[in-house]
Amino acid sequence: MTLWPLMFSLSVVNMKKTPLALAVCILSTPVMGFAAEKIAADMVITNGTVLTMNPNRDIIENGVIVVKDNKIINVGDKTTADKYKATKTIDANDGIVMPGMINTHTHAAMTVFRSLADDVPDRLNRYIFPLEKRMVSEEMSYLGSLHGSIEMAKGGVTTMVDMYLFEESSAQAVKQIGLRGIMTQNIIRFPTADGKDAKETIARAVSFIEKYKDDELITPGFGPHAPHTVNKEDLETIKTLSDKYDVPVSMHVAETEKEFNRFKEQYGMTPIEYLDSIGLLNKRFIAAHAIFVTDSDIALMKKRDVGVAHNMVANIKSAKGISPALKMHDDGLRIGLGTDGPMSGNTLDIIGQMGYVAKLHKLANKDRSVMPPLKVVEMATIGGARAIHRDDELGSLETGKLADIVIVETQSTNMQPIFNPYSVLVYSANAANVDTVIVNGQVIVENKILKTFDENKAREMMQTFSKKVAEIAATL
Ligand SMILES: [Zn+2]
């Protein structure tokens, strides 16, 4: 009798295609002998165009993905569903089924400051640092990260790499929404709201790491702000501790020409060479931006196996420059896409980045054939997983990987017609086309509705807090 739920769900799918199929399905039900051989599963996704992003980059038309617990246990054509008896069936309704996207660099908590002082020169010192000094608290970090996590979840981001103050409070929000987070505690040499100096924030990071080290969704780590804003001896401590705890280090690197020139003058080294001299460049290191890097820096980053976060929208909005991300991708570096914080790039979904990544690299190279959509989707998925050294379990839809899956609907006018799904995703889709989001086998967004938190409540909390932000901002 337990066969019925699957039969019913399959017939629903078939009914849309042909009434004959439904009839065949119903007629086949007396053959209960085969039923016992069906394999139990938690979820079957049917009727979608599956972009596997596996090593062959296989696309399966009318494909099926089977999930049990938090893992993908099968990926195949439409007949695959027949082998399973699932608790839940999701009809993708001809949508694009893809791996969850990975945002390799952000500061989710900063959503509370979004749209403030957008185009002011030297904004970091004039607005961001003074605002943070007066406004950042555990409450702000939680609230901003909650809001940011909702935006990411609804935009198809399933994993983020975050760096901020009071990072443990951010982690609580990320976990509540049900996303994966590589959450790195910010460390900087100035006094901040969460520590009087780097030593205090390093201690804060260690306590956070010890508490969350074995968490299923949260990977805690160190977030030294940048090579020029953290003292060398503190970077050495971070290097030693990241080895000891085997945790990630995320850092802004080679973000401005000024930073590059400063290190050349002061140390006779590029920022990348300087960090390597401290021993920080290794498989735990995620370099955000990496705009001002030489060819030998790129070779060194590859040799040291570091990850790179390419934040195109934030980089061009701040007029900093276009990173050699195309060369890094083609040279085989571990490179993914990032949004940077919502005061820099303003949005937190990765779909919104993809079109800019494709188009700006074409413009910079004066060649429309470079950075085709497939490369961009690679960076958004498996590339991001490689950048965080989790490509053995994330970034593609393959048997044995963690069940982080996104369905992008194709019923909206902007999504039709579809001759090339990668082109549609990169050039015409937007975050609002994301229909279903699954993280670690749990459905957190379904039919475009967040299931893990009341979105109206989150908005009201933000609106209340923003009144306080406006009062402080008016005094700067
Ligand atoms: Zn940043």
Side-chain angles (χ1 to χ4, degrees):
M1 292 306 286
T2 49
L3 177 68
W4 277 103
L6 177 69
M7 280 305 186
F8 176 74
S9 55
L10 281 179
S11 13
V12 169
V13 171
N14 288 336
M15 195 158 51
K16 289 184 179 172
K17 297 291 180 193
T18 154
L20 182 62
L22 174 65
V24 170
C25 189
I26 290 168
L27 286 172
S28 69
T29 52
V31 192
M32 297 299 279
F34 295 117
E37 293 165 23
K38 295 209 177 201
I39 304 160
D42 292 323
M43 196 188 308
V44 172
I45 302 170
T46 63
N47 195 23
T49 300
V50 178
L51 308 186
T52 63
M53 304 311 291
N54 67 12
N56 294 328
R57 306 292 185 250
D58 289 327
I59 298 177
I60 308 171
E61 296 291 347
N62 205 350
V64 165
I65 298 175
V66 187
V67 173
K68 181 158 174 54
D69 299 324
N70 64 343
K71 292 215 167 104
I72 295 170
I73 59 166
N74 207 342
V75 180
D77 64 18
K78 65 178 178 181
T79 63
T80 307
D82 301 340
K83 300 175 198 151
Y84 295 90
K85 182 188 70 175
T87 313
K88 182 178 177 72
T89 297
I90 296 178
D91 179 353
N93 196 21
D94 291 331
I96 294 170
V97 185
M98 65 185 291
M101 286 169 271
I102 296 172
N103 185 349
T104 55
H105 177 67
T106 192
H107 316 278
M110 294 180 81
T111 46
V112 303
F113 301 137
R114 175 154 54 193
S115 84
L116 257 180
D118 261 332
D119 304 312
V120 177
D122 194 24
R123 203 173 54 126
L124 187 67
N125 293 307
R126 281 180 61 186
Y127 276 94
I128 299 180
F129 285 156
L131 266 175
E132 286 183 332
K133 202 170 171 192
R134 295 174 65 179
M135 297 235 57
V136 175
S137 62
E138 287 182 352
E139 179 202 3
M140 172 270 180
S141 190
Y142 168 80
L143 171 65
S145 298
L146 186 79
H147 200 84
S149 296
I150 292 172
E151 183 179 343
M152 282 188 253
K154 292 193 77 185
V157 170
T158 52
T159 299
M160 73 176 83
V161 180
D162 192 81
M163 174 210 288
Y164 207 60
L165 295 80
F166 293 110
E167 192 66 3
E168 187 174 336
S169 300
S170 295
Q172 285 161 2
V174 171
K175 207 169 156 59
Q176 196 170 3
I177 299 305
L179 293 179
R180 283 185 207 286
I182 293 179
M183 311 300 291
T184 63
Q185 165 66 39
N186 182 74
I187 295 151
I188 198 161
R189 68 165 179 259
F190 319 119
T192 54
D194 63 348
K196 70 176 190 311
D197 57 21
K199 290 187 180 41
E200 258 191 37
T201 43
I202 288 171
R204 181 180 284 281
V206 168
S207 141
F208 171 48
I209 288 162
E210 285 178 344
K211 202 162 160 189
Y212 277 82
K213 181 108 174 61
D214 299 317
D215 194 274
E216 201 170 12
L217 292 176
I218 302 298
T219 305
F222 295 95
H225 181 265
H228 57 288
T229 52
V230 185
N231 295 331
K232 193 174 179 189
E233 60 159 353
D234 294 321
L235 288 177
E236 286 165 349
T237 305
I238 291 165
K239 146 73 181 156
T240 305
L241 290 171
S242 62
D243 285 349
K244 178 185 166 189
Y245 288 102
D246 191 19
V247 291
V249 176
S250 81
M251 187 177 196
H252 300 106
V253 180
E255 188 176 353
T256 65
E257 198 164 19
K258 195 172 158 191
E259 174 191 339
F260 183 89
N261 292 337
R262 179 193 293 200
F263 277 88
K264 286 297 270 187
E265 279 164 29
Q266 198 173 341
Y267 299 100
M269 290 187 267
T270 66
I272 293 291
E273 288 165 345
Y274 169 77
L275 293 174
D276 193 50
S277 74
I278 296 168
L280 267 170
L281 300 192
N282 56 36
K283 67 182 168 87
R284 283 184 276 282
F285 194 80
I286 304 159
H289 300 289
I291 302 171
F292 295 92
V293 289
T294 63
D295 284 357
S296 69
D297 283 339
I298 293 174
L300 182 58
M301 285 193 285
K302 184 175 181 192
K303 193 172 164 193
R304 298 286 185 253
D305 212 17
V306 305
V308 178
H310 178 35
N311 308 289
M312 175 60 93
V313 172
N315 295 347
I316 57 176
K317 177 165 172 271
S318 56
K320 283 174 183 152
I322 296 178
S323 92
L326 179 63
K327 178 174 169 55
M328 291 191 231
H329 174 278
D330 291 351
D331 285 0
L333 268 72
R334 295 174 172 271
I335 183 167
L337 302 183
T339 59
D340 209 345
M343 273 192 96
S344 305
N346 294 52
T347 59
L348 297 174
D349 67 90
I350 289 296
I351 290 185
Q353 298 282 317
M354 295 202 291
Y356 288 97
V357 172
K359 288 177 266 194
L360 264 295
H361 286 289
K362 292 175 195 305
L363 182 62
N365 288 279
K366 294 186 168 52
D367 180 353
R368 74 180 302 148
S369 70
V370 305
M371 199 58 96
L374 173 58
K375 283 189 189 180
V376 183
V377 177
E378 281 174 350
M379 284 196 280
T381 55
I382 189 69
R386 292 184 72 233
I388 60 173
H389 283 271
R390 300 278 293 273
D391 45 314
D392 56 333
E393 53 182 3
L394 297 170
S396 63
L397 301 177
E398 295 179 84
T399 299
K401 286 210 169 181
L402 291 168
D404 288 11
I405 305 164
V406 166
I407 302 174
V408 182
E409 51 88 3
T410 54
Q411 304 301 309
S412 293
T413 311
N414 67 306
M415 296 296 286
Q416 290 291 330
I418 303 174
F419 299 110
N420 177 336
Y422 298 118
S423 281
V424 170
L425 282 175
V426 172
Y427 294 130
S428 45
N430 60 59
N433 295 123
V434 171
D435 183 85
T436 303
V437 179
I438 297 156
V439 182
N440 210 36
Q442 300 299 312
V443 181
I444 64 167
V445 176
E446 191 166 27
N447 300 322
K448 304 193 179 185
I449 294 167
L450 183 74
K451 297 183 73 176
T452 48
F453 200 89
D454 179 350
E455 232 186 306
N456 290 328
K457 188 179 163 199
R459 188 182 58 249
E460 283 163 17
M461 288 159 71
M462 179 59 82
Q463 284 168 339
T464 304
F465 193 85
S466 67
K467 291 189 179 83
K468 291 188 222 167
V469 176
E471 279 171 26
I472 301 283
T475 66
L476 298 177

